[in-house]
Amino acid sequence: MYINQSIYQKLDNVCAEYGAQWIAVTKLRPVDALAELYAMGKRSFGENKAQELCDKYEILPKDIDWHFIGHLQTNKVKQIIDKVSTIHAVDSMKLLNEIQKEASKINKKVAIFIQMYVAQEETKYGFSPEEMLDFFDQFQAENYPNISIQGIMAMASFTDNKSQIEEEFCRVKTMLAAINSDYNMTLSEMSIGMSGDYNIALKCGATRLRIGNILFN
Ligand SMILES: *Cc1c(COP(=O)(O)O)cnc(C)c1O
């Protein structure tokens, strides 16, 4: 048994309570672990490597809802575009353009999240608040008929300081509200919350949790 059944149940319950959804992050886990999740009824899986996602996709049932959750290189978009429903960490206009291009080739609409950088750690990925606003200044929905922006994705700092994590998630919520009012959009989703901080994320308005570690025995 790969899966911690009580955590699985707890995630289902708490997500129902908050009207959120959780994605099982299955990166680096064997196919048998994914099959066990599938047998339990799970259909939303998250992977962060294109090749690994493709390999698992080939083997597992076709009604799985695949999410690409990590940094995605532009040259890998082609490999996954026909397999994923959602790409969670769009961190450049170049990547967005590539997703549009490849999705249009196969006549598919892909859900995406724009990644915002809120953590204190140095990281290469995600937009700062200023860059986020620049992005939406430039973004013209009519040029992206094959993309549906759901909202913002972010990762909080790796820390035990709960108020810091809360403050970081709150910045995501504030940004979402600013984009909606400044750019006349109706983005409603926040892909925030992982194993260590999902309770805080839910209180801050998370609509999608990405859960790995705690799910597994
Ligand atoms: C690995 C990963 C997760 C899951 O993290 P856990 O701490 O294992 O729950 C969520 N989001 C992204 C982008 C990841 O790479």
CSV table of all heavy atoms in Angstrom, one decimal, residues 14 92-93 99 112 132 136 169 198 203 209:
chain,number,residue,atom,x,y,z
A,14,VAL,N,-11.7,18.0,3.7
A,14,VAL,CA,-11.4,19.5,3.9
A,14,VAL,C,-11.6,20.2,2.6
A,14,VAL,O,-12.0,21.4,2.6
A,14,VAL,CB,-9.9,19.6,4.5
A,14,VAL,CG1,-8.8,19.5,3.5
A,14,VAL,CG2,-9.8,21.0,5.2
A,92,SER,N,6.4,32.8,-18.2
A,92,SER,CA,6.9,33.7,-19.2
A,92,SER,C,5.9,33.9,-20.3
A,92,SER,O,5.1,32.9,-20.6
A,92,SER,CB,8.2,33.3,-19.7
A,92,SER,OG,8.1,32.2,-20.6
A,93,MET,N,5.9,35.0,-21.0
A,93,MET,CA,5.1,35.2,-22.2
A,93,MET,C,5.5,34.2,-23.3
A,93,MET,O,4.7,33.7,-24.1
A,93,MET,CB,5.2,36.6,-22.6
A,93,MET,CG,4.2,37.2,-23.6
A,93,MET,SD,2.5,37.0,-23.0
A,93,MET,CE,2.2,38.7,-22.3
A,99,ILE,N,2.5,27.5,-25.7
A,99,ILE,CA,1.3,26.7,-25.4
A,99,ILE,C,0.2,27.0,-26.3
A,99,ILE,O,-0.4,26.1,-26.9
A,99,ILE,CB,0.9,27.0,-23.9
A,99,ILE,CG1,2.0,26.5,-22.9
A,99,ILE,CG2,-0.4,26.2,-23.6
A,99,ILE,CD1,1.8,26.9,-21.5
A,112,ILE,N,-4.6,27.2,-17.8
A,112,ILE,CA,-3.3,27.5,-17.3
A,112,ILE,C,-3.4,28.4,-16.0
A,112,ILE,O,-4.4,29.1,-15.8
A,112,ILE,CB,-2.4,28.3,-18.3
A,112,ILE,CG1,-3.0,29.6,-18.7
A,112,ILE,CG2,-2.1,27.4,-19.5
A,112,ILE,CD1,-1.9,30.7,-18.8
A,132,MET,N,3.9,40.7,-13.0
A,132,MET,CA,2.6,40.2,-13.1
A,132,MET,C,1.7,41.2,-13.8
A,132,MET,O,0.9,40.9,-14.8
A,132,MET,CB,2.1,39.9,-11.7
A,132,MET,CG,1.0,38.9,-11.6
A,132,MET,SD,1.7,37.3,-11.6
A,132,MET,CE,0.2,36.4,-11.7
A,136,PHE,N,-0.2,41.2,-17.6
A,136,PHE,CA,-1.6,41.4,-18.0
A,136,PHE,C,-1.8,42.7,-18.8
A,136,PHE,O,-2.8,42.8,-19.5
A,136,PHE,CB,-2.5,41.4,-16.7
A,136,PHE,CG,-2.7,40.0,-16.3
A,136,PHE,CD1,-1.9,39.4,-15.3
A,136,PHE,CD2,-3.7,39.2,-16.9
A,136,PHE,CE1,-2.1,38.1,-14.9
A,136,PHE,CE2,-3.9,37.9,-16.5
A,136,PHE,CZ,-3.1,37.3,-15.5
A,169,PHE,N,0.6,34.0,0.9
A,169,PHE,CA,-0.6,33.5,0.2
A,169,PHE,C,-1.6,34.7,0.0
A,169,PHE,O,-2.3,34.8,-1.0
A,169,PHE,CB,-1.3,32.3,0.9
A,169,PHE,CG,-0.6,31.0,0.7
A,169,PHE,CD1,-0.7,30.0,1.7
A,169,PHE,CD2,0.2,30.8,-0.4
A,169,PHE,CE1,-0.1,28.8,1.5
A,169,PHE,CE2,0.8,29.5,-0.6
A,169,PHE,CZ,0.7,28.5,0.4
A,198,TYR,N,-1.1,23.3,3.4
A,198,TYR,CA,-2.4,23.4,2.7
A,198,TYR,C,-3.5,23.9,3.6
A,198,TYR,O,-4.5,24.5,3.0
A,198,TYR,CB,-2.8,22.0,2.1
A,198,TYR,CG,-3.2,20.9,3.1
A,198,TYR,CD1,-4.5,20.8,3.5
A,198,TYR,CD2,-2.3,20.0,3.6
A,198,TYR,CE1,-4.9,19.8,4.4
A,198,TYR,CE2,-2.7,19.0,4.5
A,198,TYR,CZ,-4.0,18.9,4.9
A,198,TYR,OH,-4.3,18.0,5.8
A,203,LYS,N,-7.4,28.5,4.1
A,203,LYS,CA,-7.9,29.7,4.8
A,203,LYS,C,-7.7,30.9,4.0
A,203,LYS,O,-8.5,31.9,4.1
A,203,LYS,CB,-7.2,29.8,6.1
A,203,LYS,CG,-7.7,28.7,7.1
A,203,LYS,CD,-7.3,29.0,8.5
A,203,LYS,CE,-7.8,27.9,9.5
A,203,LYS,NZ,-6.7,26.9,9.6
A,209,LEU,N,-5.2,22.5,-4.4
A,209,LEU,CA,-4.0,22.1,-3.6
A,209,LEU,C,-3.2,21.2,-4.5
A,209,LEU,O,-3.8,20.3,-5.2
A,209,LEU,CB,-4.4,21.5,-2.3
A,209,LEU,CG,-5.4,22.2,-1.4
A,209,LEU,CD1,-5.8,21.3,-0.3
A,209,LEU,CD2,-4.9,23.5,-0.9
